């Protein structure tokens, strides 16, 4: 059920307010970036509520149209230009104006340029104009400048890397991440895990998606009410997302379709997507930079980016849901009777939620580590070889310790056989020095038998039911 309540982002707001307080000592130039719909604009608007500010949102267009619209926004807020002419032929004059009107501020002001990548896309010299404005004027004013963007690669190129004109001038940056499962539960107060986790599995912690759903309803009920009907916000979201990001999204669409249908290896994607093998690396690199696709290698591989075992998957949960469940079954999804879709393709949905539960296990284990239920592990990730897969493995080279985790999206309590299977699989993992210290953990939605719980207590096995720890870890 859609809610306009502002959820969480406590750490981010603390950081922003600390930077704001620092304006009296030093002007602030902040970079806030993250994937689309992750809540950057909502975060900043919430921060601005009790402050003087000017907010400019860029869109795709040419440099001249950006300049004229920026002039209109700023002069409405800051007053007419004190310069001889109100005509601003270039962005340099724009910053001359900005320098003048911010010269004798009594109170700090926040200047926000949202979707900054659209500005630099329209003019290759845009970053240099902003450098000019900062160096000549704004660094000596009582201002906070916030540059925001969804194109992570563009933000890096124009603000964060050494060769960028704005490099060395920023006073802070924040990569805004999707909500964790624990944070996402705040959208559905008092709703049971059986409802909230499946909703997280398809929203991926993206606030714009999570707030649409109703935690009192099942996953199927939410899909039928908020995704499948004609004209629904989420029903057209994938196409809109791709059209916003790419001028020609066709090849990207075919790649996402291929991966969504389970083609995870490079050669499989080439064949299924019909993209030349020479062109595919460039497409995949862009999709990875946009946080839509991820490449994984077994956690024990020393150079993951060169691993021959690397696989690709959709890192955006909603796209994974869409290209696995909706898109391949479009005729059923667009019909008036949804029973056929869920009766014949419902297993796909169950598998999606189960896979998301496996992926989210890292969050549960990280919280257990932070709570002292487990020792620290420097790296967490999946492990597999040709015949075996382990859902999560943790490595600590300093202590020569390793963690093995098995996750089950089960309906009935799991027995002692699951731990036995995990121990057998762990013998295939070649890592560490002799006599390494091994830890084991089991994560199960449906809980554990009494025998499993008793064994866990004897052997110091960490048990997590749904998302909560049941037994303390004692080590092996």
């Amino acid at each position: 059920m859609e809610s306009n309540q502002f959820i969480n982002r406590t750490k981010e707001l603390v950081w922003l307010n600390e930077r704001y307080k620092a304006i009296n000592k030093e002007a602030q130039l902040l970079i806030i970036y993250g994937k689309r719909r992750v809540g950057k604009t909502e975060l900043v608007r919430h921060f601005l509520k009790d402050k003087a500010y000017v907010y400019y949102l860029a869109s795709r267009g040419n440099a001249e149209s950006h300049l004229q619209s920026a002039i209109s926004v700023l002069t409405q807020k800051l007053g007419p230009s004190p310069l001889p002419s109100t005509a601003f032929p270039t962005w340099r004059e724009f910053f001359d104006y900005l320098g003048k009107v911010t010269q004798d501020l009594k109170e700090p002001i926040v200047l926000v340029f949202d979707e900054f990548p659209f500005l630099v896309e329209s003019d290759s010299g845009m970053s240099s104009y902003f450098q000019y404005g900062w160096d000549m004027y704004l660094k000596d004013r009582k201002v906070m400048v916030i540059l925001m963007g969804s194109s992570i690669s563009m933000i890096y190129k124009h603000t964060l890397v050494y060769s960028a004109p704005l490099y060395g001038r920023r006073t802070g940056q924040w990569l805004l991440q999707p909500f964790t499962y624990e944070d996402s539960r705040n959208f559905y107060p008092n709703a049971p895990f059986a409802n909230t986790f499946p909703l997280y599995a398809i929203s991926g912690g993206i606030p714009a998606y999570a707030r649409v759903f109703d935690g009192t309803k099942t996953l199927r009920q939410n899909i039928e009410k908020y995704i499948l009907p004609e004209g629904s916000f989420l029903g057209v979201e994938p196409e809109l997302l791709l059209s916003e990001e790419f001028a020609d999204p066709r090849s990207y669409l075919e790649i996402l379709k291929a991966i969504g249908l389970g083609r995870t290896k490079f050669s499989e994607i080439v064949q299924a997507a019909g993209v030349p093998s020479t062109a595919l690396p460039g497409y995949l690199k862009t999709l990875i930079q946009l946080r839509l696709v991820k490449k994984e290698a077994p956690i024990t591989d020393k150079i993951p980016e060169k691993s021959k075992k690397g696989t690709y998957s959709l890192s955006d949960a909603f796209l994974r849901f869409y290209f696995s469940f909706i898109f391949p079954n479009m005729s059923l999804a667009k019909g008036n009777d949804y029973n056929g879709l869920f009766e014949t393709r419902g297993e796909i949905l169950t598998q999606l939620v189960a896979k998301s539960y496996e992926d989210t296990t890292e969050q549960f284990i990280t919280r257990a580590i932070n709570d002292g239920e487990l020792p620290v592990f420097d790296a967490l990730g999946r492990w597999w070889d040709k015949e075996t897969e382990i859902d999560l493995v943790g490595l600590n080279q300093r202590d020569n310790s390793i963690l093995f985790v098995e996750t089950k999206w089960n309906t009935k309590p799991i027995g002692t056989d699951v731990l036995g299977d995990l121990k057998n699989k762990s013998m295939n993992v070649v890592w560490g020095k002799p006599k390494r210290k091994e830890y084991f953990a089991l994560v199960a939605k449906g809980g554990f038998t009494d025998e499993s719980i008793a064994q866990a207590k004897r052997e110091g096995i960490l048990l997590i039911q749904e998302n909560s720890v049941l037994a303390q870890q004692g080590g092996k």
Side-chain angles (χ1 to χ4, degrees):
M1 183 178 298
E2 190 162 355
S3 167
N4 291 320
Q5 181 184 3
F6 184 78
I7 301 293
N8 203 285
R9 300 302 189 196
T10 304
K11 291 187 300 183
E12 291 86 348
L13 287 171
V14 167
W15 174 73
L16 281 167
N17 281 300
E18 286 177 347
R19 294 293 88 208
Y20 182 78
K21 291 176 182 177
I23 294 175
N24 289 321
K25 295 181 180 179
E26 178 187 26
Q28 297 293 306
L29 175 57
L30 306 181
I31 314 298
I32 298 177
Y33 60 114
K35 66 190 298 183
R36 292 195 186 283
R37 313 289 195 265
V38 79
K40 299 180 296 298
T41 300
E42 189 172 5
L43 166 67
V44 171
R45 286 187 178 277
H46 192 79
F47 161 70
L48 293 172
K49 278 187 174 180
D50 57 350
K51 299 171 180 66
Y53 70 91
V54 179
Y55 175 86
Y56 174 69
L57 173 63
S59 58
R60 277 205 166 91
N62 58 47
E64 175 61 24
S65 64
H66 283 312
L67 177 59
Q68 296 308 316
S69 57
I71 291 168
S72 175
V73 169
L74 267 77
T75 53
Q76 285 180 30
K77 279 277 189 174
L78 300 177
S81 171
L83 301 176
S85 172
T86 56
F88 294 48
T90 71
W91 281 90
R92 180 177 285 263
E93 282 79 14
F94 171 85
F95 281 108
D96 288 338
Y97 157 74
L98 204 50
K100 290 286 186 182
V101 296
T102 57
Q103 191 168 13
D104 299 311
L105 292 174
K106 294 182 180 179
E107 296 295 329
I109 189 169
V110 184
L111 307 174
V112 181
F113 295 87
D114 201 349
E115 290 301 352
F116 179 70
F118 286 151
L119 289 175
V120 298
E121 188 180 78
S122 70
D123 187 333
S124 59
M126 189 66 69
S127 295
S128 296
Y129 287 130
F130 273 79
Q131 176 192 353
Y132 166 80
W134 182 259
D135 290 348
M136 287 294 295
Y137 306 111
L138 299 180
K139 69 180 178 60
D140 299 316
R141 303 291 193 262
K142 294 175 70 171
V143 302
M144 171 186 283
V145 177
I146 300 178
L147 306 182
M148 299 165 58
S150 302
S151 177
I152 295 173
S153 60
M154 292 281 277
I155 288 290
Y156 267 100
K157 180 179 178 181
H158 291 277
T159 66
L160 299 178
V161 299
Y162 182 77
S163 58
L166 292 173
Y167 179 82
R169 291 164 176 82
R170 73 184 188 280
T171 56
Q173 68 283 322
W174 197 284
L175 173 58
L176 196 62
Q177 300 285 4
F179 284 134
T180 63
Y181 168 67
E182 290 301 321
D183 291 333
S184 294
R185 291 178 65 191
N186 292 318
F187 287 100
Y188 322 111
N190 304 317
F193 179 87
N195 285 8
T196 59
F197 188 84
L199 295 179
Y200 175 75
I202 64 172
S203 74
I206 298 296
Y209 305 161
R211 68 172 66 255
V212 170
F213 299 129
D214 185 342
T216 67
K217 300 181 184 298
T218 65
L219 178 59
R220 173 174 174 171
Q221 289 171 333
N222 273 283
I223 292 172
E224 289 183 347
K225 185 169 183 178
Y226 300 114
I227 298 177
L228 294 179
E230 196 74 27
S232 64
F233 159 60
L234 290 175
V236 296
E237 174 65 2
E239 289 92 340
L240 289 177
L241 183 67
L242 295 179
S243 63
E244 285 179 6
E245 204 62 61
F246 309 113
D248 184 0
R250 288 175 296 180
S251 294
Y252 293 101
L253 180 64
E254 293 302 319
I255 293 168
L256 294 171
K257 283 167 51 181
I259 298 175
L261 291 172
R263 310 300 193 267
T264 61
K265 296 181 179 179
F266 186 91
S267 58
E268 295 173 342
I269 299 171
V270 168
Q271 186 173 9
V275 176
S277 59
T278 53
L280 184 57
Y283 288 120
L284 288 172
K285 181 180 179 181
T286 300
L287 290 170
I288 290 170
Q289 288 174 335
L290 292 171
R291 305 297 202 269
L292 301 181
V293 169
K294 63 180 177 181
K295 183 181 181 181
E296 289 183 287
I299 187 66
T300 53
D301 280 17
K302 294 182 179 179
I303 309 178
E305 59 272 14
K306 294 185 178 180
S307 175
K308 294 182 179 179
K309 298 178 183 177
T311 61
Y312 297 90
S313 60
L314 299 183
S315 56
D316 184 286
F318 191 75
L319 289 187
R320 184 166 60 215
F321 158 76
Y322 181 83
F323 285 110
S324 301
F325 184 68
I326 300 293
F327 196 86
N329 307 297
M330 193 62 77
S331 58
L332 290 172
K334 293 302 181 184
N336 294 324
D337 181 10
Y338 298 141
N339 287 328
L341 174 64
F342 287 95
E343 288 173 3
T344 62
R345 301 292 188 268
E347 184 60 28
I348 295 174
L349 203 56
T350 302
Q351 292 170 359
L352 278 170
V353 175
K355 181 63 172 67
S356 178
Y357 193 51
E358 291 176 7
D359 293 343
T360 310
T361 293
E362 183 173 338
Q363 295 180 23
F364 306 151
I365 292 297
T366 298
R367 190 174 66 173
I369 291 171
N370 293 337
D371 291 344
E373 303 282 0
L374 282 169
V376 173
F377 292 94
D378 302 321
L380 294 168
R382 291 172 57 228
W383 179 91
W384 67 91
D385 61 14
K386 290 182 179 180
E387 299 181 3
T388 307
E389 180 177 343
I390 299 178
D391 296 325
L392 190 70
V393 171
L395 307 176
N396 185 326
Q397 291 186 337
R398 295 187 307 277
D399 296 342
N400 194 35
S401 59
I402 187 168
L403 169 69
F404 301 99
V405 186
E406 183 76 16
T407 302
K408 297 291 185 184
W409 184 256
N410 56 317
T411 53
K412 297 180 180 179
I414 61 174
T416 57
D417 57 313
V418 175
L419 178 58
D421 290 343
L422 178 58
K423 288 181 175 180
N424 289 333
K425 290 193 290 186
S426 73
M427 297 178 187
N428 296 319
V429 181
V430 179
W431 178 87
K433 301 173 184 177
K435 297 183 180 180
R436 69 190 184 188
K437 190 172 182 62
E438 296 183 346
Y439 296 82
F440 293 90
L442 300 177
V443 181
K445 184 212 45 165
F448 309 87
T449 62
D450 292 341
E451 292 80 4
S452 292
I453 294 173
Q455 182 183 20
K457 289 180 178 179
R458 288 195 307 270
E459 300 183 19
I461 308 300
L462 186 77
L463 301 182
I464 296 176
Q465 181 172 343
E466 295 184 345
N467 61 315
S468 301
V469 171
L470 290 187
Q472 282 195 337
Q473 170 72 35
K476 174 181 173 182

Tab-separated table of all heavy atoms in Angstrom, residues 314-333:
chain	number	residue	atom	x	y	z
A	314	LEU	N	21.116	-10.852	-12.847
A	314	LEU	CA	20.474	-9.550	-12.731
A	314	LEU	C	20.553	-9.111	-11.271
A	314	LEU	O	19.993	-9.762	-10.392
A	314	LEU	CB	19.018	-9.617	-13.192
A	314	LEU	CG	18.805	-10.021	-14.659
A	314	LEU	CD1	17.327	-9.984	-15.006
A	314	LEU	CD2	19.585	-9.118	-15.596
A	315	SER	N	21.251	-8.011	-11.012
A	315	SER	CA	21.400	-7.522	-9.642
A	315	SER	C	20.225	-6.659	-9.223
A	315	SER	O	20.007	-6.439	-8.030
A	315	SER	CB	22.702	-6.732	-9.489
A	315	SER	OG	22.760	-5.672	-10.418
A	316	ASP	N	19.465	-6.153	-10.170
A	316	ASP	CA	18.263	-5.393	-9.869
A	316	ASP	C	17.111	-6.375	-9.656
A	316	ASP	O	16.713	-7.096	-10.574
A	316	ASP	CB	17.939	-4.439	-11.019
A	316	ASP	CG	16.758	-3.546	-10.713
A	316	ASP	OD1	15.617	-4.066	-10.739
A	316	ASP	OD2	16.961	-2.351	-10.455
A	317	ALA	N	16.598	-6.433	-8.435
A	317	ALA	CA	15.613	-7.446	-8.076
A	317	ALA	C	14.333	-7.337	-8.902
A	317	ALA	O	13.756	-8.362	-9.299
A	317	ALA	CB	15.281	-7.341	-6.587
A	318	PHE	N	13.874	-6.118	-9.156
A	318	PHE	CA	12.630	-5.989	-9.903
A	318	PHE	C	12.810	-6.416	-11.361
A	318	PHE	O	11.924	-7.054	-11.946
A	318	PHE	CB	12.092	-4.559	-9.838
A	318	PHE	CG	10.680	-4.457	-10.364
A	318	PHE	CD1	9.625	-4.906	-9.615
A	318	PHE	CD2	10.431	-3.940	-11.625
A	318	PHE	CE1	8.317	-4.843	-10.101
A	318	PHE	CE2	9.134	-3.870	-12.125
A	318	PHE	CZ	8.074	-4.316	-11.359
A	319	LEU	N	13.952	-6.087	-11.956
A	319	LEU	CA	14.208	-6.554	-13.322
A	319	LEU	C	14.326	-8.070	-13.361
A	319	LEU	O	13.887	-8.712	-14.324
A	319	LEU	CB	15.484	-5.909	-13.870
A	319	LEU	CG	15.422	-4.418	-14.193
A	319	LEU	CD1	16.709	-3.975	-14.880
A	319	LEU	CD2	14.220	-4.072	-15.057
A	320	ARG	N	14.931	-8.653	-12.326
A	320	ARG	CA	15.041	-10.118	-12.266
A	320	ARG	C	13.651	-10.740	-12.225
A	320	ARG	O	13.369	-11.730	-12.918
A	320	ARG	CB	15.850	-10.513	-11.032
A	320	ARG	CG	16.117	-12.002	-10.912
A	320	ARG	CD	17.193	-12.279	-9.873
A	320	ARG	NE	16.790	-11.793	-8.554
A	320	ARG	CZ	17.634	-11.281	-7.673
A	320	ARG	NH1	18.917	-11.133	-7.970
A	320	ARG	NH2	17.200	-10.896	-6.486
A	321	PHE	N	12.767	-10.161	-11.411
A	321	PHE	CA	11.379	-10.629	-11.348
A	321	PHE	C	10.691	-10.456	-12.701
A	321	PHE	O	10.045	-11.371	-13.215
A	321	PHE	CB	10.638	-9.858	-10.257
A	321	PHE	CG	9.140	-9.832	-10.406
A	321	PHE	CD1	8.385	-10.946	-10.090
A	321	PHE	CD2	8.489	-8.689	-10.866
A	321	PHE	CE1	7.000	-10.920	-10.226
A	321	PHE	CE2	7.115	-8.663	-11.007
A	321	PHE	CZ	6.368	-9.779	-10.689
A	322	TYR	N	10.846	-9.278	-13.292
A	322	TYR	CA	10.146	-8.968	-14.539
A	322	TYR	C	10.592	-9.869	-15.682
A	322	TYR	O	9.759	-10.444	-16.400
A	322	TYR	CB	10.380	-7.502	-14.894
A	322	TYR	CG	9.667	-7.066	-16.163
A	322	TYR	CD1	8.337	-6.693	-16.130
A	322	TYR	CD2	10.346	-7.033	-17.383
A	322	TYR	CE1	7.676	-6.294	-17.279
A	322	TYR	CE2	9.694	-6.641	-18.543
A	322	TYR	CZ	8.355	-6.268	-18.485
A	322	TYR	OH	7.714	-5.894	-19.644
A	323	PHE	N	11.914	-10.013	-15.850
A	323	PHE	CA	12.409	-10.777	-16.997
A	323	PHE	C	12.379	-12.286	-16.775
A	323	PHE	O	12.596	-13.044	-17.720
A	323	PHE	CB	13.824	-10.322	-17.355
A	323	PHE	CG	13.861	-8.994	-18.060
A	323	PHE	CD1	14.361	-7.870	-17.427
A	323	PHE	CD2	13.364	-8.855	-19.348
A	323	PHE	CE1	14.385	-6.635	-18.069
A	323	PHE	CE2	13.369	-7.635	-19.990
A	323	PHE	CZ	13.880	-6.519	-19.353
A	324	SER	N	12.102	-12.715	-15.560
A	324	SER	CA	11.951	-14.148	-15.308
A	324	SER	C	10.494	-14.582	-15.281
A	324	SER	O	10.148	-15.658	-15.762
A	324	SER	CB	12.606	-14.531	-13.970
A	324	SER	OG	13.961	-14.220	-13.957
A	325	PHE	N	9.632	-13.725	-14.738
A	325	PHE	CA	8.247	-14.127	-14.495
A	325	PHE	C	7.246	-13.444	-15.424
A	325	PHE	O	6.329	-14.087	-15.939
A	325	PHE	CB	7.890	-13.825	-13.033
A	325	PHE	CG	6.521	-14.291	-12.635
A	325	PHE	CD1	6.232	-15.647	-12.547
A	325	PHE	CD2	5.513	-13.377	-12.333
A	325	PHE	CE1	4.959	-16.085	-12.176
A	325	PHE	CE2	4.246	-13.798	-11.960
A	325	PHE	CZ	3.973	-15.157	-11.881
A	326	ILE	N	7.413	-12.152	-15.655
A	326	ILE	CA	6.416	-11.410	-16.439
A	326	ILE	C	6.705	-11.479	-17.935
A	326	ILE	O	5.863	-11.922	-18.725
A	326	ILE	CB	6.351	-9.937	-15.985
A	326	ILE	CG1	5.975	-9.841	-14.503
A	326	ILE	CG2	5.354	-9.161	-16.848
A	326	ILE	CD1	4.580	-10.286	-14.184
A	327	PHE	N	7.871	-11.032	-18.333
A	327	PHE	CA	8.169	-10.872	-19.751
A	327	PHE	C	8.024	-12.171	-20.558
A	327	PHE	O	7.414	-12.159	-21.634
A	327	PHE	CB	9.570	-10.285	-19.930
A	327	PHE	CG	9.826	-9.735	-21.293
A	327	PHE	CD1	9.478	-8.439	-21.614
A	327	PHE	CD2	10.399	-10.532	-22.285
A	327	PHE	CE1	9.692	-7.933	-22.881
A	327	PHE	CE2	10.618	-10.034	-23.557
A	327	PHE	CZ	10.259	-8.730	-23.859
A	328	PRO	N	8.561	-13.314	-20.079
A	328	PRO	CA	8.420	-14.544	-20.870
A	328	PRO	C	6.986	-15.057	-20.922
A	328	PRO	O	6.665	-15.924	-21.739
A	328	PRO	CB	9.319	-15.549	-20.127
A	328	PRO	CG	10.175	-14.738	-19.228
A	328	PRO	CD	9.359	-13.532	-18.870
A	329	ASN	N	6.128	-14.540	-20.057
A	329	ASN	CA	4.744	-15.013	-19.973
A	329	ASN	C	3.767	-13.860	-20.186
A	329	ASN	O	2.729	-13.772	-19.534
A	329	ASN	CB	4.501	-15.652	-18.600
A	329	ASN	CG	5.529	-16.712	-18.267
A	329	ASN	OD1	5.636	-17.724	-18.947
A	329	ASN	ND2	6.317	-16.476	-17.219
A	330	MET	N	4.117	-12.980	-21.122
A	330	MET	CA	3.368	-11.744	-21.303
A	330	MET	C	1.907	-11.997	-21.685
A	330	MET	O	1.010	-11.273	-21.232
A	330	MET	CB	4.043	-10.874	-22.356
A	330	MET	CG	3.527	-9.442	-22.398
A	330	MET	SD	3.808	-8.551	-20.841
A	330	MET	CE	5.558	-8.179	-20.985
A	331	SER	N	1.647	-13.000	-22.494
A	331	SER	CA	0.264	-13.255	-22.904
A	331	SER	C	-0.600	-13.647	-21.712
A	331	SER	O	-1.768	-13.236	-21.609
A	331	SER	CB	0.215	-14.359	-23.966
A	331	SER	OG	0.800	-15.562	-23.476
A	332	LEU	N	-0.031	-14.421	-20.785
A	332	LEU	CA	-0.769	-14.770	-19.571
A	332	LEU	C	-0.883	-13.574	-18.637
A	332	LEU	O	-1.923	-13.355	-18.008
A	332	LEU	CB	-0.057	-15.918	-18.836
A	332	LEU	CG	-0.092	-17.294	-19.506
A	332	LEU	CD1	0.824	-18.266	-18.763
A	332	LEU	CD2	-1.520	-17.838	-19.534
A	333	ALA	N	0.186	-12.780	-18.562
A	333	ALA	CA	0.198	-11.633	-17.646
A	333	ALA	C	-0.793	-10.562	-18.070
A	333	ALA	O	-1.340	-9.837	-17.228
A	333	ALA	CB	1.604	-11.038	-17.569
